[in-house]
Amino acid sequence: MIDEHLPSAAHSSQPPTGPVIALLLCLCVPPGLAQSTASGCGASATTHHVFSHAGPPLRAIEHAPRNRLRLQNLKWEVPVEAATGILIAEGDQPAANRIQGRSIQHLARLWSNFGLGTEIGAGFATWGVGCIERKPSLRDNGLTALTAMGAAGTLDLALKLAFDREFPYKPGSHGDFWGGGRSFPSGRAATSFAFAAAIAHRYTHSRWVKWGAYGLATGVALSRYPGKRHYLSDILIGSTLGYVTGVYVAEH
């Protein structure tokens, strides 16, 4: 059984998704292809591909203050920041207090686990089939999606450590920042939307793939609320972080 008991308030019971995916990418090179350069799936080629995609988002952080002043960015940043501020001030705690039933919390957490596992599995399956069948586009699409998830999860972890927000399941929690927790932002929302955005940008011609990926990501992200794992503002910022990271990785 998953989440039979509530984890400690200070730490999440699950490992950070980003570093886990990065480790899996290093360990799970398809059998027989580990030394192959022709397939593009050898350890060296895979590592180069991952870092070539993950590098641009990390470098973009250096220019974040300057890029934030661009009009095209303000068009979406201002509404997201305003909504986040309103949720933190007025909406997060009342919404969290509405979730009391253990059964709905358990069901939501099961769905979250299933959804995230499906995304990671789809990424590895796409990459693996592309390697085995020697289809570069399929291989690259899977690896790009996984790289986007790893990058988003790593950035999310950095923000969690910086903001140190209380989890909503903590007894007596008020969602205080720097109160001992890793609630802000939601890592599941970030990695799920990174996957969806990367896939959508690689399969622009396929409406069903695109909206299926976004639908799954939305379900995973929103499940963190009834699962009482995150506040609504955590989910909003995590989803935004994941979308931006996924688009950036897919385009670079």
Side-chain angles (χ1 to χ4, degrees), residues 227-243:
K228 210 162 186 175
R229 300 296 296 183
H230 289 284
Y231 290 102
L232 293 176
S233 61
D234 304 337
I235 296 170
L236 175 59
I237 292 299
S239 300
T240 303
L241 171 66
Y243 174 79

Side-chain angles (χ1 to χ4, degrees), residues 6 93-106 109 168-169 225-228:
L6 291 178
Q93 197 59 52
N97 290 339
R98 291 178 177 272
I99 306 299
Q100 299 296 334
R102 291 297 184 93
S103 59
I104 187 63
Q105 292 179 39
H106 181 66
R109 293 171 192 179
Y169 57 72
Y225 164 61
K228 210 162 186 175

Side-chain angles (χ1 to χ4, degrees), residues 66-87:
R66 182 184 65 189
N67 293 338
R68 190 183 184 283
L69 299 177
R70 294 180 180 178
L71 181 60
Q72 62 268 33
N73 291 344
L74 293 177
K75 289 180 179 179
W76 62 266
E77 286 180 348
V78 170
V80 169
E81 290 174 0
T84 301
I86 292 172
L87 286 173

